[in-house]
């Protein structure tokens, strides 16, 4: 079958064409495919040399990549697998319809899983390896990313496996209503945060699953190459939607996967040709488009287009009319064929020309109706998965052709509206039962009874034994991992704690600390420094030489700066993940490392340092997903603040990241002003994550402004972690007794302005107190929890007089603690609302009104 996708130009000399064709066929027949490939390569070389202007088409014919003769023998019991698949389909459907009968507002999806059911089942029966444990030599499991709105199917299978009860299924999407004991609520989509023993990977936001799966696969290589954990026998499987491939995140790391030769990665793209509103590519063919895209990116592409019952049709189609017609059919039309019955397809598909009509002659309308697409044929799916699993040197994508709403009959199969269909009437339910030969009475079908075969039935025994062979059930999220000891602060951070007024930026201090931590015997190897092409910006170039940049091929060139102490060094056991200019990639990488404690049973500690503006603002949804996945690690928003990053202007100056960070429940966000504060925060974070094994991650903003770093008194440490402490009292000269008349709060780089303001006020005869606020969000959270007047911030503010707060962020950040300011104290906030722009720090701080003189003015006004 050699029909090209685009029609060939007119054949001007058919006799000559025939001669060439015969010669080529004779070559294949006598010398074999290897020689034929050589000859084609040679022709391509010649054509290029002659500037013929031709290059090979990335598309292959619209048929299965695995030829019938290359299909392995199906290693299972097809009839039983089909029965199990049908039962899972039924329970998934019943779960969604029941939930919506009870509460019409709950939503849920039937059609997506209906199209993906066989793709999932094949994986469950033959491929997805579960984790056996965390011991030496034990398989730690494949990673499986499930299409989010197919979650009902995963629950339905877990029900047969005995992992979820009927009561649980009855609480699909009712996590609050579920009583807890005896019935747990089932989350809408895979959410490790909500079902921490079940789901491993959050995929609900389209595109995040795909990119995350790539970086998880790459991180497994990193662990293997760095001799931390042998992941070579494990795979990453991801089932995603064809519509989902439109997301930029889905596509953005394809070349990375190919460049890194991630043959531990298999994507199954469920090409049901539809997304939510309508066809994915009504006027084209999504499978062809994806084939070109993935092949061009360097992936191994396996097309799984047609089921076994098409094999005979293709074999009998001696003129190639069938393939030609299929290739002339766009997806919008193919969807219509899916939505119609056998009669319609006989008339309108096979009726298109006499050759096709002849092919269909021996089939009844019913048989035509039941002609399966590849993604619904367990034998073909198995063949494709097996080809993917044994492929070496490239990641594989399986483009599986399916019908959306498969088996939902006139109620939903191939219908434009099927995505959101969650009601089926009695006739539809009976039809569905008949379609899948379910052993249900009419009464059971129409009452949506869940069905589970007897424990000793062949179906249940088959299901159990196949999972046993594959190491147990999944998805299953584990958390057991070793405690990683954290060195004492004074072993690596004395320079920051007792800075003695030395000038440096908090970024410099952080990098110096990181460099020491990397050398720690116990912790060092677990640290994963991650950058998105900004290591030099943050003064980290020394780490290139010290720990190296991870590269799966080492370094195949002599770096230009080879003699330098800062030389650019790539190595197989390099430790830094240098992700290039891809914040989406870097955060996916961070997520993989930050969840290693769970996914691999090996705690790692990632520090991803980036321009703070390109974090929560740019990849906020990915950070939200990492939070859902219960990430443990550090995000370091460097060059932070709207005025501190002087010249960079509007798109670089961050005034909001702390606002967003505050909305993520398991993110602790800090804006330390001084190196000592930062050191205490990093130490506490490491202990919380690695020793106490809490599911939290830290966001710490760092600045590039050099200023004198004071010592941090030991008694201030607790306050630093709570969010603030008393930094100093500033009194007019000679006055040693008078109580402060006002309190100034400052955080991050603006604390230095606050201190300058305090000195000016003192010089003007006004005693004032300065508090260093290290975390507005921790203060606000504490305020919400604590009894009135008892919150940390209320206690810090127990004096009298007005309170002025200034930060390098929008005013909403310091406003977040207003409710906890003691009654009777006036509270004024200064911040950097508005667009940034480029100028000197002094000019910017004056412009936004957060410099010392504006703080003084605000203080005097408040006192007046
Ligand atoms: C980022 C994001 N945007 C939109 C949605 C809403 N949404 C959920 S499923 C879906 C359609 C998915 O189509 P496809 O990927 O083809 O999967 P199918 O259901 O067809 O298998 C949409 C738009 C989402 N979950 N995430
Ligand atoms: Mg789709």
């Amino acid at each position: 079958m050699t029909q090209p996708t685009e029609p060939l130009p007119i054949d001007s000399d058919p006799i000559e064409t025939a001669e060439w064709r015969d010669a080529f066929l004779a070559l294949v027949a006598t010398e074999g495919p290897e020689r034929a490939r050589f000859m084609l390569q040679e022709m391509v070389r010649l054509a290029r040399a002659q500037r013929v202007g031709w290059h090979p088409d990335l598309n292959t014919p619209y048929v299965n990549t695995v030829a019938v003769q290359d299909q392995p023998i199906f290693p299972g019991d097809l009839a039983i697998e089909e029965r199990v698949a049908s039962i899972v389909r039924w329970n998934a459907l019943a779960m969604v319809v029941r939930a919506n009968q009870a509460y019409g507002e709950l939503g849920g999806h039937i059609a997506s899983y209906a199209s993906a059911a066989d793709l999932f089942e094949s994986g469950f029966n033959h491929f997805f390896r579960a984790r056996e444990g965390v011991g030496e030599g034990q398989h730690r499991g494949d990673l499986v990313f499930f299409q989010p709105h197919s979650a009902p199917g995963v629950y339905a299978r877990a029900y047969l496996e005995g992992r979820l009860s009927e009561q649980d299924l009855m609480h699909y999407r009712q996590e609050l209503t579920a009583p807890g004991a005896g019935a747990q609520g089932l989350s809408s989509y895979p959410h490790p945060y909500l079902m921490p023993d079940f789901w491993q990977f959050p995929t609900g936001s389209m595109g995040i699953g795909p990119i995350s799966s790539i970086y998880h696969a790459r991180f497994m290589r990193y662990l293997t190459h760095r001799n931390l954990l042998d992941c070579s026998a494990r795979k990453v499987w991801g089932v995603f939607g064809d519509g989902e491939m439109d997301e930029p995140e889905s596509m953005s790391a394809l070349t990375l996967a190919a460049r890194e030769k991630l043959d531990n990665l298999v994507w199954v793209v469920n090409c049901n040709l539809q997304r939510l509103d309508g066809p994915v590519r009504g006027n084209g063919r999504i499978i062809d488009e994806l084939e070109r895209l993935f092949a061009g990116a360097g992936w191994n592409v396996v097309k799984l287009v047609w089921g076994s019952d098409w094999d005979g049709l293709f074999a009998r189609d001696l003129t190639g009319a069938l393939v030609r017609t299929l290739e002339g059919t766009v997806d919008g039309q193919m969807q219509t064929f899916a939505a119609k019955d056998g009669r319609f397809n006989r008339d309108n598909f096979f009726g298109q020309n006499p050759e096709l009509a002849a092919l269909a002659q021996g089939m009844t309308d019913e048989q035509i109706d039941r002609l399966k697409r590849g993604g619904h044929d367990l034998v073909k799916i198995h063949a494709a998965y097996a080809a993917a699993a044994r492929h070496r040197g490239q990641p594989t994508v399986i483009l599986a052709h399916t019908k959306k709403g498969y088996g939902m009959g006139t109620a939903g199969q191939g219908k434009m509206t099927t995505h959101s269909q969650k009601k089926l009437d009695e006739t539809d339910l009976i039809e569905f039962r008949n379609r899948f030969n379910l052993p249900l009475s009419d009464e059971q079908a129409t009452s949506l009874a869940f069905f589970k075969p007897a424990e000793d039935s062949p179906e249940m025994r088959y299901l159990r034994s196949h999972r046993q062979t594959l190491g147990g059930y999944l998805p299953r999220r584990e958390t057991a991992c070793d405690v990683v000891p954290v060195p004492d602060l004074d072993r690596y951070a004395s320079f920051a704690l007792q800075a003695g007024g030395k000038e440096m930026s908090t970024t410099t201090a952080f990098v110096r600390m990181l460099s020491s931590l990397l050398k720690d015997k116990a912790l060092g190897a677990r640290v994963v420094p991650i950058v998105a092409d900004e290591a030099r910006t943050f003064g980290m170039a020394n780490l290139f030489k010290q720990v190296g940049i991870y590269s799966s091929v080492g370094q195949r060139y002599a770096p230009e700066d080879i003699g330098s102490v800062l030389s650019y060094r790539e190595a197989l056991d390099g430790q830094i993940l240098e992700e290039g200019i891809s914040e989406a990639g870097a955060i996916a990488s961070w997520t993989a490392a930050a969840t290693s404690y769970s996914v691999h049973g090996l705690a790692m500690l990632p520090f991803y340092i980036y321009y703070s503006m390109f974090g929560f603002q740019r990849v906020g949804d990915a950070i939200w997903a990492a939070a859902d996945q219960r990430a443990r690690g550090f995000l370091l928003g460097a060059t932070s603040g709207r005025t501190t990053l002087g010249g960079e202007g509007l798109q670089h100056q961050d005034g909001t990241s702390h606002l967003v960070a505050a909305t993520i429940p398991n993110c602790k966000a800090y804006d330390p002003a001084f190196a000592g504060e930062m050191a205490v925060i990093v130490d506490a974070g490491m202990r919380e994550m690695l020793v106490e094994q809490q599911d939290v991650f830290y966001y710490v903003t760092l600045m590039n402004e050099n200023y004198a770093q004071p010592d941090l008194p030991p008694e201030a440490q607790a306050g630093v972690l709570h969010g603030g402490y008393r930094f100093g009292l500033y009194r007019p000269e000679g006055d040693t007794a008078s109580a402060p008349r006002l309190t100034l709060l400052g955080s991050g780089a603006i604390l230095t302005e606050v201190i300058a303001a305090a000195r000016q006020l003192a010089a003007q005869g006004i005693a004032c107190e300065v508090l260093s606020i290290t975390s507005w969000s921790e203060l606000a959270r504490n305020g919400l929890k604590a009894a009135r007047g008892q919150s940390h911030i209320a206690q810090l503010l127990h004096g009298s007089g007005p309170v002025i707060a200034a930060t390098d962020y929008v005013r909403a950040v310091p406003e977040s603690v207003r409710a906890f300011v003691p009654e009777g104290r006036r509270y004024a906030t200064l911040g950097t609302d508005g667009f940034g722009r480029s100028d000197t720090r002094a000019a910017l701080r004056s412009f936004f009104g957060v410099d010392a003189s504006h703080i003084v003015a605000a203080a005097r006004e408040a006192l007046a």
Side-chain angles (χ1 to χ4, degrees), residues 742 744 753-754 756-758 760-761 764 766 802 804 826 828 830 846 849-864:
L742 79 157
L744 303 180
E753 300 289 341
V754 168
Q760 287 175 28
L761 287 164
Q764 293 166 23
I766 301 168
I804 314 289
R826 194 169 160 193
L830 305 177
S846 171
V850 293
D851 61 356
S853 60
H854 280 85
I855 297 166
V856 168
R860 296 195 70 100
E861 192 192 314
L863 284 169

Side-chain angles (χ1 to χ4, degrees), residues 117-155:
D118 301 297
L119 299 173
F120 282 21
E121 279 302 303
S122 206
F124 280 124
N125 282 323
H126 301 284
F127 295 94
F128 301 162
R129 285 285 306 257
R131 187 203 280 194
E132 287 161 0
V134 292
E136 192 70 31
Q138 280 185 303
H139 199 285
R140 294 197 186 192
D142 290 344
L143 285 54
V144 186
F145 287 73
F146 291 100
Q147 204 186 5
H149 42 295
S150 288
V154 182
Y155 296 140

Side-chain angles (χ1 to χ4, degrees), residues 336-348 365-366 368-370 410 413:
T336 301
F337 290 138
K340 305 288 184 185
D341 61 11
R343 177 84 229 177
F344 181 93
N345 276 277
R346 178 192 300 285
D347 294 345
N348 295 278
D365 288 351
E366 172 83 4
I368 291 177
D369 191 44
R370 295 282 180 101
T410 48
Q413 181 172 290

Side-chain angles (χ1 to χ4, degrees), residues 112 147 149 204-206 241-244 247 270 272 274-276 404 419:
S112 299
Q147 204 186 5
H149 42 295
S205 178
M206 312 258 102
D242 49 357
E244 184 171 15
E247 288 287 358
N270 176 12
N272 54 24
Q274 290 176 249
R275 43 185 165 71
L276 195 156
K404 191 147 179 171
H419 187 86

Side-chain angles (χ1 to χ4, degrees), residues 287-584:
I287 291 181
D288 285 353
E289 182 178 324
L290 293 178
E291 177 177 38
R292 286 192 296 275
L293 186 73
F294 280 88
W299 286 51
N300 173 43
V301 180
V302 176
K303 293 204 295 194
L304 168 58
V305 195
W306 308 111
S308 303
D309 33 17
W310 289 81
D311 289 343
L313 292 175
F314 286 122
R316 284 193 281 127
D317 174 35
L318 301 178
T319 63
L322 182 54
V323 178
R324 242 188 338 269
T325 309
L326 290 169
E327 286 180 346
T329 307
V330 293
D331 284 351
Q333 191 59 46
M334 196 62 93
Q335 181 194 330
T336 301
F337 290 138
K340 305 288 184 185
D341 61 11
R343 177 84 229 177
F344 181 93
N345 276 277
R346 178 192 300 285
D347 294 345
N348 295 278
F349 178 73
F350 289 102
Q352 292 183 74
N353 61 58
E355 289 138 302
L356 287 196
L359 281 179
Q361 225 155 41
M363 289 190 287
T364 63
D365 288 351
E366 172 83 4
Q367 283 169 323
I368 291 177
D369 191 44
R370 295 282 180 101
L371 280 173
K372 277 182 183 167
R373 294 187 178 171
H376 295 304
D377 185 316
L378 292 168
V379 174
K380 296 287 187 193
I381 298 170
H382 176 270
Y385 284 18
R390 65 168 182 265
H391 188 77
R392 291 290 165 266
Q394 286 174 300
T396 293
V397 63
I398 294 169
L399 302 175
H401 190 201
T402 63
K403 288 180 183 175
K404 191 147 179 171
Y406 184 60
M408 287 166 74
T410 48
Q413 181 172 290
K415 295 271 190 244
M416 280 299 174
T417 52
T418 192
H419 187 86
S420 313
Q421 176 84 25
K422 38 200 147 273
K423 291 195 187 98
L424 286 135
D425 63 25
E426 298 201 344
T427 349
D428 298 331
L429 292 170
I430 300 277
E431 244 182 66
F432 192 90
R433 177 206 59 190
N434 297 345
R435 170 73 185 77
F436 293 107
N437 299 319
L438 289 154
L440 299 168
S441 67
D442 285 5
E443 149 65 19
Q444 285 171 312
T446 53
S447 68
L448 293 159
F450 292 123
F451 178 74
K452 190 173 184 175
E455 289 300 330
D456 61 352
S457 62
E459 289 82 3
M460 295 291 271
R461 273 184 283 143
Y462 186 91
L463 176 142
R464 282 195 301 265
S465 76
H466 277 68
R467 282 316 312 168
Q468 238 156 42
T469 311
L470 288 164
Y473 297 116
L474 66 76
R476 198 175 77 222
R477 183 177 173 277
E478 313 255 2
T479 53
C481 69
D482 51 349
V483 165
V484 182
V486 172
D488 288 339
L489 246 184
D490 50 14
R491 292 240 320 266
Y492 62 94
S494 308
F495 80 95
L497 297 170
Q498 287 110 44
K502 197 169 170 234
E503 280 207 1
M504 73 185 116
S505 71
T506 49
T507 304
T508 304
F510 167 75
V511 173
R512 186 165 159 191
M513 271 174 46
L514 180 66
S515 178
S516 303
L517 289 173
L518 284 162
K519 291 179 189 138
D520 185 80
K521 277 217 161 51
L523 176 66
R526 306 297 186 93
V527 172
V528 186
I530 302 175
V531 290
D533 200 35
E534 298 285 0
R536 290 184 201 278
T537 312
F538 310 131
M540 294 168 71
N542 62 314
L543 293 184
F544 293 163
K545 189 102 178 226
Q546 184 190 323
V547 295
I549 296 163
Y550 169 70
S551 155
S552 58
V553 293
Q555 192 161 36
R556 294 170 165 174
Y557 57 94
E560 171 278 320
D561 56 359
I562 194 160
S564 149
V565 281
L566 303 180
S567 168
Y568 198 81
R569 186 172 76 87
E570 300 192 57
L572 184 64
D573 64 350
Q575 193 159 358
I576 300 170
L577 288 170
E578 162 66 87
E579 303 298 2
I581 312 172
S582 171
E583 280 76 15

Side-chain angles (χ1 to χ4, degrees), residues 203-216:
T203 52
S205 178
M206 312 258 102
I208 286 183
I211 189 172
S212 189
S213 73
I214 292 177
Y215 280 89
H216 272 283

